Amino acid sequence: MSLTDSSSGELWWGGGVGTVEYLKALLTDILNHEIAERSLNNLPTEAAPPPLRMRTLKELGTPSLDAEAISGRALFNVNELEQKAKAARLRREAAGISDSVEDAQPADAPEWGELVNKKIEVCWPYHLEDGSRQLIWSPGRVVL
């Protein structure tokens, strides 16, 4: 069984809102918008957490034991998710994959005048005797 009317190409409810042409134009518009947002670096970099609101359904009769057991289990626990996220963050920092201090830095570097007499740390590459390279953090103070 097809949802389209073979003579007009419209969905069974008609009105043009579900025609192949309409859906094709809608999808093209969505994709063009996403391409434009990607070129401006406006796409999200992290997935949004699932919504916390639960649907409320009318209850008919009394719930069975199975229904009570299912409703007692939380499908999504915010506190548990936050703990897991913090643990994952610590593992990533220990492995050198991410850095919370780096993440807290502003997007644009400050002007040189703002850094005079400030303590900073710089990550310098040091070339070792065996020919390899190692990154080492060096503390210092900005002077003129």
Side-chain angles (χ1 to χ4, degrees):
M1 178 176 148
S2 173
L3 294 178
T4 60
D5 177 358
S6 60
S7 62
S8 66
E10 292 186 18
L11 290 178
W12 62 271
W13 58 80
V17 176
T19 62
V20 173
E21 292 79 22
Y22 173 82
L23 294 174
K24 192 174 187 180
L26 181 63
L27 182 58
T28 302
D29 185 45
I30 290 170
L31 290 174
N32 288 337
H33 177 73
E34 185 174 327
I35 290 168
E37 291 294 311
R38 182 179 292 131
S39 68
L40 298 172
N41 289 328
N42 285 342
L43 290 179
T45 57
E46 297 177 356
L52 298 177
R53 60 189 164 98
M54 295 183 69
R55 289 184 3 179
T56 56
L57 302 174
K58 291 183 179 179
E59 207 172 289
L60 302 174
T62 58
S64 67
L65 293 176
D66 289 336
E68 288 179 357
I70 290 172
S71 66
R73 282 187 277 165
L75 299 176
F76 181 79
N77 185 335
V78 175
N79 294 331
E80 184 179 324
L81 180 63
E82 285 178 356
Q83 290 174 358
K84 287 182 179 183
K86 286 178 184 176
R89 178 79 159 176
L90 291 174
R91 281 194 304 275
R92 291 176 56 83
E93 286 183 11
I97 298 170
S98 66
D99 181 9
S100 60
V101 175
E102 178 185 5
D103 293 343
Q105 300 301 315
D108 297 323
E111 298 293 326
W112 282 107
E114 296 176 31
L115 294 176
V116 175
N117 293 324
K118 300 259 180 156
K119 292 182 181 179
I120 63 169
E121 287 185 331
V122 178
C123 187
W124 293 99
Y126 285 90
H127 300 281
L128 304 176
E129 292 177 359
D130 64 358
S132 64
R133 190 179 91 151
Q134 182 176 1
L135 297 175
I136 298 177
W137 284 97
S138 301
R141 182 180 295 272
V142 178
V143 294
L144 286 177

